[in-house]
Amino acid sequence: MEGHSGRIACLAVWERECVLFTGSQDSTARRWDFKKGAEQVTMEGHANGITCLGISEWRGALLTGSQDRTVMRWDLELRAEHATKEGHSGRIACLAASEQGGAPSRARISAQ
């Protein structure tokens, strides 16, 4: 699979749809058809490299964390940005979405 112009820093799998997401130092996230190995869409919006990804199937969202100190939430189906969270003093080092007991997902974010 080719598409990113920078190093791939992270990936996440959406098993239900056989989709792979990659985040890169080129500031983009990409959605791939896992079976065909074909890129489906490029998600642009971060000002610096993407460092981490998380999937919330319950909310239908992909979360991307970046060196630009923001977290973006993307719609898994529409492939469009929903929200940007700003305010961290350092790059976003990791994040995780939880889906416990059908409750709304919560993001845990760590900045460095």
Side-chain angles (χ1 to χ4, degrees):
M1 295 188 289
E2 294 184 24
H4 287 289
S5 62
R7 173 180 76 81
I8 294 173
C10 50
L11 58 87
V13 176
W14 186 15
E15 291 182 59
R16 186 185 79 200
E17 298 295 323
C18 292
V19 169
L20 172 70
F21 292 96
T22 54
S24 173
Q25 291 301 306
D26 67 7
S27 305
T28 67
R30 295 178 189 250
R31 176 184 164 136
W32 305 85
D33 180 309
F34 196 67
K35 291 180 181 176
K36 296 177 184 175
E39 181 183 341
Q40 294 178 321
V41 70
T42 300
M43 292 165 273
E44 300 175 296
H46 283 289
N48 212 321
I50 293 174
T51 56
C52 49
L53 302 172
I55 294 175
S56 171
E57 288 193 46
W58 187 83
R59 284 201 179 260
L62 172 71
L63 303 172
T64 57
S66 173
Q67 294 172 349
D68 67 8
R69 301 184 306 247
T70 64
V71 174
M72 291 186 167
R73 187 177 72 174
W74 308 82
D75 184 289
L76 288 173
E77 297 291 341
L78 300 177
R79 305 166 189 163
E81 179 192 349
H82 268 299
T84 300
K85 302 292 183 188
E86 299 176 341
H88 291 282
S89 60
R91 72 181 182 96
I92 308 301
C94 60
L95 56 81
S98 66
E99 323 239 5
Q100 299 171 352
S105 66
R106 296 171 294 279
R108 292 190 176 91
I109 302 166
S110 172
Q112 291 183 340

